[in-house]
Amino acid sequence: MGIPDRILRMLEEKKRSGCPVKPQSELYKDLSFDSLSFIALLLEIEEIYSIVFEIAEMEKCLRVVGLIAATERKVREKAP
Amino acid sequence: MIIDWIFDRRNDGAAAVLDGGRAVTFLALREKIGAVQRGLMNEQGGVIALCLPNTEDYLSAFFGVILAGRTVFPLNVLMTAHEISLLIKQGGVSAVLTSAEYRPLFLEEAPADRRVLLIEDMYGAGMRKPILPTLDNKSAIVFLGTSGTTGKVKIAALTKRNIEASLTGYLSKMDFERADPAGGRFVIALPFSSAYGMMCLCACMAKGLPIVLLRGAFTPELFYKTIAAHRVTHYEGSPLVITFMVQMANRAVPYAIESLKYLGFGGNGIPAETIKKMSKLYPQIELSQGYGMSEASPLIAKHQRSKRIKPDSVGTAIRGAEIVIRTADGITKAPGKRGEILVRGANVMRGYYKNEEETQKAIQNGYLYTGDIGYLDRAGYLYICGRKKNCMMIRGFPVQPEEVEACILNGSLATDCKVYAGRDRFGNESLCARVVPVRADLTAQEIRAHCRRYLASYKCPEEIQFCAEIQKNAAGKTDRKGSETT
């Protein structure tokens, strides 16, 4: 499964709102994530892909499209 | 004490609230409070609900309502219109004070005897000097909604004496004069509408310490950036920040956070191991756990500043409060005896609003029965080991499982269900549900979406499991023994 599909599926499973997951969805505002569930999500993504998000990079992950792009970028960066 | 600072003009030019690049002075805040006070003078009725986020408007509204001689009933902006509606009806609210942004939450609330007032209109009539009122020590000045089952929330009625007793206790533990002679700048990372938030903001205002607002989604970046930008020295809020600071410890923090010297927390049981790790990672940050509940206005116990903390403990009783343990053999202060925590003191509420039955259960012979299980050690430190009552603490908010269960069942999604507290990957309590679905293809997302329509997000189960039946006890009720951690 590609990165976008996997992350979308994770968001569908973890969101606590009835809003559909769309590229422009905001994790906090639309999908009812809070700080802890947001960090738990990032840590899970890090484990799956063996990557590490720096603190400043986490801000780019507050929107679905940004989260997917940041994950893809980190995976590309670690590739030999 | 709770309102004295409003009439002390010595710090007029000092910052009361720091909001991004803006500083709101004590003088400006006082005039806004005065505007709200004057705006409410002609309002009939006693109880005014307050629905505003953590901003300077909240402060001016909260104190303005009190100065107007009314009872203020803070409401959490995270709540849904449905939850707010129940609280307003039960609280005998005569008017709601909110802003244009939150006005839609009250669109259904339009009975002739309940007005919706906008803070913008209060200011529009002009800033005013506040007038010193006479507040007695017997009337309730604050209502706080506590956890309750659907349709029957208990409302703690707090007097000026109650709140000032808790505040005095907090200030004594904080020992600002000795521990922070240069003053400080506070982040209060909880809703001002909560009991804990209320205590912290009253303390900051009483001591002339500016409150730094957190705007936007609470992320590690926002937290660290705010500390650096405003040289924040003190944090009070959810212990979840400790969890993520520990989790993020192996990453570079691109902001200067050396100013942060104190981190106070309460709310839910963070594992002692996490606190120990935090102390090792950030030895310059003093950690201080406390314990309380709305019914105690709210502080019951806290660690004393500048004393070594016991990570498993919530500290010792605040000044003027007595903590005892009720065991099968009676009431005791003997160390190591486990039982229900009782507290007595001026901080204990007058009672629940219009609920004598629950008041008599909660307060017996002057003791508040907390519903929490714990014990004292030889030095009087209190340790919490569990809960007698069903209430869970999720993300620092009290949640009654019956309320969430009723919501699921009322949605015709399940024939039975059980809501309980599990542990997330960080060891914090998280909300879980076991559901007997009405149909085989029911999904967890549908249940969450349904809950979200009626309940605040922290009351929506994170983990949902489907099962064939829910275990019952001999009385035919949901068996909740051993539910608290799974």
Side-chain angles (χ1 to χ4, degrees):
Chain A
M1 186 185 290
I3 290 172
D5 287 338
R6 191 154 191 187
I7 289 178
L8 288 173
R9 186 151 87 164
M10 288 170 78
L11 291 170
E12 280 291 351
E13 284 169 3
K14 293 175 190 302
K15 67 177 186 180
R16 277 188 287 175
S17 85
C19 293
V21 178
K22 293 181 183 169
Q24 293 305 321
S25 300
E26 292 182 41
L27 267 61
Y28 279 58
K29 191 167 153 230
D30 302 318
L31 306 182
S32 294
F33 275 76
D34 60 17
S35 55
L36 207 62
S37 50
F38 174 60
I39 289 180
L41 172 72
L42 293 183
L43 290 176
E44 196 172 328
I45 292 173
E46 288 182 340
E47 275 173 22
I48 292 169
Y49 296 104
S50 302
I51 57 176
V52 175
F53 291 109
E54 296 303 329
I55 288 169
E57 291 173 322
M58 293 176 182
E59 295 303 288
K60 300 186 177 69
C61 301
L62 291 171
R63 216 181 268 272
V64 172
V65 62
L67 174 62
I68 293 171
T71 304
E72 287 176 326
R73 186 175 56 251
K74 297 298 283 192
V75 168
R76 272 197 311 270
E77 281 169 5
K78 84 169 178 113
Chain B
M1 175 192 270
I2 188 177
I3 58 167
D4 297 346
W5 65 272
I6 299 173
F7 302 95
D8 179 353
R9 306 296 302 273
R10 285 172 290 178
N11 61 356
D12 268 358
V17 176
L18 295 166
D19 184 2
R22 279 178 66 236
V24 179
T25 63
F26 275 96
L27 173 63
L29 184 59
R30 286 180 179 115
E31 289 181 342
K32 285 188 165 186
I33 291 170
V36 173
Q37 179 188 26
R38 304 294 181 105
L40 293 174
M41 288 301 202
N42 295 325
E43 282 298 316
Q44 302 299 315
V47 183
I48 298 190
L50 171 55
C51 187
L52 288 166
N54 285 14
T55 57
E56 76 214 55
D57 290 342
Y58 184 96
L59 295 171
S60 54
F62 178 83
F63 290 105
V65 171
I66 291 175
L67 255 57
R70 306 289 198 275
T71 302
V72 63
F73 188 0
L75 303 174
N76 191 335
V77 296
L78 294 177
M79 287 187 190
T80 61
H82 170 75
E83 290 168 300
I84 285 177
S85 176
L86 292 172
L87 283 170
I88 283 177
K89 284 185 185 116
Q90 257 186 261
V93 168
S94 59
V96 174
L97 180 52
T98 185
S99 65
E101 183 185 354
Y102 291 93
R103 178 80 176 80
L105 282 173
F106 303 95
L107 283 175
E108 290 170 21
E109 286 295 315
D113 58 347
R114 195 174 295 133
R115 284 164 37 80
V116 180
L117 309 169
L118 300 185
I119 192 90
E120 293 91 340
D121 295 338
M122 300 269 160
Y123 298 153
M127 299 301 157
R128 306 289 185 97
K129 252 175 73 172
I131 304 168
L132 180 65
T134 303
L135 300 178
D136 66 61
N137 274 321
K138 290 187 184 160
S139 308
I141 61 169
V142 175
F143 276 178
L144 291 176
T146 71
S147 59
T149 55
T150 299
K152 199 68 184 168
V153 175
K154 292 175 287 189
I155 296 172
L158 307 182
T159 66
K160 179 170 171 284
R161 180 171 176 260
N162 295 150
I163 297 171
E164 289 185 346
S166 171
L167 186 55
T168 300
Y170 176 78
L171 292 175
S172 173
K173 293 288 186 184
M174 289 302 287
D175 197 10
F176 284 115
E177 286 74 19
R178 201 163 57 87
D180 310 295
R185 291 177 163 200
F186 262 78
V187 153
I188 302 174
L190 344 114
F192 287 171
S193 57
S194 66
Y196 185 4
M198 175 189 74
M199 180 185 71
C200 293
L201 66 91
C202 286
C204 286
M205 294 297 100
K207 300 305 280 187
L209 300 171
I211 297 172
V212 178
L213 298 182
L214 290 169
R215 291 280 205 170
F218 189 87
T219 60
E221 161 94 356
L222 173 70
F223 176 63
Y224 293 131
K225 198 194 293 192
T226 303
I227 294 172
H230 293 287
R231 300 186 312 282
V232 170
T233 54
H234 295 68
Y235 166 98
E236 285 280 7
S238 164
L240 304 179
V241 76
I242 297 180
T243 300
F244 84 62
M245 284 180 82
V246 167
Q247 290 295 327
M248 301 286 111
N250 59 344
R251 293 154 221 245
V253 176
Y255 299 101
I257 61 167
E258 293 78 25
S259 60
L260 187 65
K261 55 189 280 202
Y262 166 88
L263 205 153
F265 57 99
N268 55 328
I270 186 171
E273 268 315 301
T274 307
I275 298 175
K276 286 175 190 163
K277 280 184 193 167
M278 179 72 181
S279 293
K280 283 201 178 104
L281 288 165
Y282 295 96
Q284 75 280 15
I285 300 177
E286 190 181 352
L287 303 177
S288 176
Q289 182 162 203
Y291 163 68
M293 53 199 302
S294 300
E295 291 85 341
S297 314
L299 197 59
I300 293 172
K302 188 170 169 60
H303 282 283
Q304 183 69 42
R305 290 287 292 287
S306 310
K307 276 193 177 173
R308 192 174 64 88
I309 76 158
K310 298 185 180 184
D312 290 336
S313 166
V314 293
T316 53
I318 61 167
R319 182 188 290 179
E322 180 196 12
I323 296 174
V324 297
I325 305 295
R326 183 173 177 272
T327 68
D329 300 323
I331 287 174
T332 180
K333 282 186 185 174
K337 296 288 185 187
R338 195 171 285 219
E340 185 173 356
I341 300 164
L342 310 188
V343 61
R344 184 165 64 179
N347 59 326
V348 171
M349 66 173 177
R350 194 179 69 171
Y352 292 119
Y353 175 68
K354 290 195 174 174
N355 198 337
E356 192 53 32
E357 187 187 342
E358 289 294 334
T359 299
Q360 287 188 5
K361 281 186 205 165
I363 303 175
Q364 299 176 39
N365 298 320
Y367 284 108
L368 173 66
Y369 281 57
T370 65
D372 292 316
I373 306 297
Y375 64 92
L376 295 163
D377 71 10
R378 287 184 194 284
Y381 281 79
L382 178 64
Y383 298 77
I384 314 286
C385 358
R387 294 193 195 100
K388 191 178 162 194
K389 56 194 174 187
N390 280 341
C391 184
M392 305 169 286
M393 292 302 285
I394 305 293
R395 303 288 202 263
F397 296 108
V399 179
Q400 202 74 17
E402 292 91 343
E403 183 183 6
V404 185
E405 287 162 1
C407 181
I408 294 172
L409 294 171
N410 288 342
S412 303
L413 300 169
T415 56
D416 202 357
C417 63
K418 174 181 166 182
V419 170
Y420 60 97
R423 289 276 171 195
D424 66 16
R425 60 184 292 157
F426 304 116
N428 300 305
E429 282 193 341
S430 67
L431 201 60
C432 305
R434 281 201 194 96
V435 174
V436 180
V438 291
R439 59 178 205 278
D441 63 347
L442 183 70
T443 63
Q445 286 91 319
E446 283 178 85
I447 293 177
R448 285 195 204 102
H450 167 76
C451 288
R452 192 65 192 95
R453 283 185 60 203
Y454 296 98
L455 302 173
S457 57
Y458 58 86
K459 294 181 190 172
C460 299
E462 280 184 72
E463 195 173 308
I464 296 173
Q465 293 175 343
F466 293 104
C467 57
E469 64 175 343
I470 303 294
Q471 196 167 349
K472 304 293 179 190
N473 58 23
K477 296 194 174 180
T478 298
D479 189 355
R480 296 191 196 276
K481 266 195 198 156
S483 287
E484 290 194 3
T485 53
T486 58

